[in-house]
Amino acid sequence: MRVRTSIAAAAVLAAGLTLTACQNDDKAAGGDGTGSTASSTASARDGGATPSATAKGTGSGAPSATGSDGSAKGGDGTIAACTARTTKAAFVAAAQHATRSKPATGTVKITNTSAKPCTIVGATTLVAKDDQGKSSPIETDNSAAGTDAVDVAPGATATASVGYTDLNFEGTESARQTCRVQASKVEIALPKDVGRTVKVTDGKGSAAIFNVCGKDVKFGAFRA
């Protein structure tokens, strides 16, 4: 009986020593369930990226492109060209007559009527035909003035000046305002787009005449 009791006591003691050793090993290796979490936390604190990190506001890790006014652009950062379908065109004749040293100044207006921004890039053309067909049409574009891209926000208007002479300085006093081209309408064509005919108006929107003496018509660059 004493022999059996001694053997049993020795077995219990050995089991206790083994359990203590295993617990010590688990603590050293994070076996209390905190080892892997602590390692991940330390990695993130030290600048390591976590597997689920993506760019803010997207699900793909790449930020979406936007325009300077916050409008959404295409994936390549471009926006659609302004066309006759997405804009309204207008031509305003000069409010003051030309002088020998200073031309009269009209204005081409392009208003974005769509819900998205568009851009004008390239040469815009302007054609004015004499109402009576007594002279050849005046044709010009703004390629010499500069045709860099101009973005037009929804509802906004881009403008370009048109310099011309509306008086005949070589004629008699009574014929000073009789020019070879007197047009009540002009045709405006945006770059790589169809032309559309618009009425010539004054600054108040009333009907006016694009009265052009001479061939020197200067179409300026657009400004938003």
Side-chain angles (χ1 to χ4, degrees), residues 3-214:
V3 174
R4 292 178 179 177
T5 301
S6 299
I7 293 174
V12 172
L13 178 60
L17 293 174
T18 301
L19 178 59
T20 300
C22 290
Q23 290 175 341
N24 290 336
D25 291 340
D26 287 346
K27 290 180 179 180
D32 60 353
T34 63
S36 60
T37 302
S39 177
S40 298
T41 302
S43 177
R45 183 176 63 248
D46 294 339
T50 58
S52 61
T54 57
K56 183 178 180 181
T58 70
S60 62
S64 58
T66 59
S68 59
D69 59 354
S71 303
K73 291 189 176 184
D76 59 355
T78 62
I79 61 178
C82 296
T83 67
R85 297 182 62 181
T86 60
T87 61
K88 177 179 68 176
F91 182 82
V92 180
Q96 296 181 342
H97 288 300
T99 66
R100 289 183 179 276
S101 60
K102 185 178 180 179
T105 303
T107 306
V108 171
K109 297 182 176 181
I110 303 295
T111 301
N112 184 354
T113 57
S114 72
K116 298 181 179 180
C118 66
T119 188
I120 302 174
V121 55
T124 296
T125 61
L126 174 68
V127 178
K129 298 178 180 179
D130 181 69
D131 287 348
Q132 303 301 320
K134 296 179 180 180
S135 182
S136 299
I138 295 292
E139 299 183 27
T140 186
D141 63 44
N142 62 348
S143 57
T147 56
D148 292 340
V150 175
D151 293 344
V152 188
T157 299
T159 60
S161 63
V162 179
Y164 61 101
T165 299
D166 62 345
L167 294 176
N168 184 0
F169 298 110
E170 303 303 325
T172 62
E173 186 68 24
S174 60
R176 283 172 62 83
Q177 297 186 40
T178 302
C179 295
R180 68 185 190 92
V181 172
Q182 295 179 313
S184 59
K185 298 177 182 179
V186 296
E187 183 180 277
I188 299 171
L190 289 170
K192 300 179 181 180
D193 193 33
V194 297
R196 58 250 178 96
T197 300
V198 300
K199 294 181 179 180
V200 178
T201 64
D202 60 18
K204 297 181 180 180
S206 299
I209 295 296
F210 184 35
N211 199 34
V212 186
C213 294

